[in-house]
Amino acid sequence: MDLSEFDFLAKLLAQQFESKISLIVSFDKNEIRINTSYGVSPDQSRDLIAFSSEILRSSKDILVIEDYHQKQNPEPIPLHNLEFNLVFFVGIPFFHEDGSLFGFISLFDDRVKQIDIRQIEFFREVSKRVEKILKEKSESESLQSNELILFGHGSDESPISLFGTEQAINEVKKIEKALRVSEDAFRENFDNAAIGMALLDETGRWLKVNKRVCDILGYSELEFMNLTFQDITHPEDLNADLKYLEELIADKRKFYQMEKRYFQKSGNIVYAILAVSMVKNEEGKILYFISQIIDITEQKLIEKELKLALAKNQAILDSSTLVAIISTDTEGTITEFNHGAEKMLGYTSEELIGKFTPKIFHIESEIEERAKQLSKEYNRTFEGFEILTYHAKIGKPNTLEWTYKRKDGSTFTVLLSITAVKQNERISGYLGVAVDISELKKAEAEIQSLLDITNEQNHRLKNFTSIVSHNLRSHSFGISGMMEILQNSFPDYFQNEMMQLLFGATENLKRTIEDLTAVIKVNLAQENYEFVDIGIMVQKNIESLALQILESKLNIEVSFPNQLLVRGIPAYLDSIVLNLITNAIKYKSNDRNSYLKISSFIKEKMIAIQFEDNGQGIDLKRHGDKLFGMYKTFHENKEARGVGLFISKNQIETMGGKIEVESTVGVGTKFTVFLPYE
């Protein structure tokens, strides 16, 4: 391996790990040999070599430091002599059999990095090859010859040789043995390399390929021998490849590396990193080109998907003009600021990204109040950006109302949700989504105002009800009482038609006031809800109406389960059951045996209580829209006042239920009351 190949491997490692500096160093009799120094001159490498030697001397394998400042090391290696701002380091040592340090490979960068298993394995494969070559070079250079021994060919191409002493011959044999070892090692590395390796002639024809190249491109080794690299290179990448090759032949570069596309035998495209170096003989004639091929197809596809996902995310961010989407790093510095945030806050993204934290549009007093709440909850102090993000950091829901301040100083209310953004289970930043709810808050205030007015009006209506219920009712009963006394004292007066009309009007007034009082009490009731067994309620009313039921010869059938609980107001339920049973008594048919069937069933989370009779029935086509109206009667029944169904319907709806009716004149009526089920 010559220095150009060391340069290539050093550069390849640096690019794979995205590192600024890479070194391949070996030691020969306490002398430091810098085989290659990528990214830094040899003169500037001394401190980095000293650091690498010190930190790798006690390491037995690959040493990875993703963030040197966070490294837990009881005896950290001092960095005060380094001009380079060391943060990231990867290195692997090589040792002699006696355990002394023979050499190493090391990579440096001034940024924190995270590396994966694939990169570690790649580093290990390259290091094996470098170690073998370093040791082979060391062994061959340590052989000393005490005679000048020449090998070559005559003008007729016949082999000639000049032999010296026996000691010289032994030295030659050692050199030949070392050469064979080196060739075997190269062949072993070539055939079993983790990356694709190939030898090509000046025309681009494949001379030798390893198994990995065959796997990558899908051709057998024999098929490769009948192809050139131009045959399977993507047309758009061919000119660049040929240009680099011309510069290599012209000694304008030691090697070249490029990303290019190949066509597999199947026709599929393979993305690869190609590195090419050149081998010449002593006369400067090109013997062959060494190509190293790394398949990056999967990586390119992932990059393509990632770019597509990022483009979609950016499109979502840009299209969300009604929502402010703001992302930050872990320290709070704004990294994304969408159009919705620009429209909402009056800033442009250029004004804020990389310069400010979201605290710029928060109200300081709210930040302080939030800090006090957190301190009280977690018994420690909070300050800075953590006040906004602590709940998101520990994985708790973090959606709160805040007051935002626009660039022009005006304020508005938002509902802000903050989420931690994680990468490899580590928080890499925060995402805030804010919705302007100022109009909603305004509407909420208006609704509250309306509720206050409604409550005030209800309060006044209750007072009016009390007046009607107490004062007006008292006066009505007073007038009615005086009329009865007058009738008893002067019965002759009531033979007069006018007095009879006056007495009837007085009774009607009393009854009307009673009805109105009952209706208003239903609408303004605030009685407590209870779970009531409707079966017991029905049985109680049947017992109370036993005499009327007996006189009317009405047969009542009750079909309920053992216990049937509904949620309602007991007084209302009692009134409803009483009214529907008495209706069946009042409007029974005189032409047939009368019955009332009371049953129940469940429908759509409601319990239905059904009252079905075979009474006179109602003409729903004529009276259906007036059935539950105030003072509406539909039969020639002197006791009918048209209030019962009106009150029952109001009571049922107050309890969150409804009432339905089916009726046919001369056949009967079916009332179904739906109430909330337990």
Side-chain angles (χ1 to χ4, degrees), residues 25 106 120 123 170 202 218 293 328 368 398 445 447 454 475 480 490 498 550 624 659:
V25 175
S106 56
I120 292 291
F123 190 87
N170 290 334
E202 287 183 84
I293 301 169
T328 72
E368 292 174 357
N398 190 19
I447 291 171
T454 302
H475 293 312
S480 179
F490 304 98
M498 294 298 294
L550 186 62
I659 184 169

Side-chain angles (χ1 to χ4, degrees), residues 29 31 48 64 78 86 95 100 126 153 168 239 259 286 385 402 441 492 573 597 637 662:
K29 297 181 179 178
E31 179 183 352
L48 297 176
V64 178
L86 175 64
F95 296 97
S100 60
V126 172
H153 293 81
N239 288 337
E259 185 178 302
I286 298 173
F385 187 58
W402 293 90
K441 296 293 288 184
D492 293 340
L573 292 170
K597 297 179 180 178
N637 190 314
E662 301 173 39

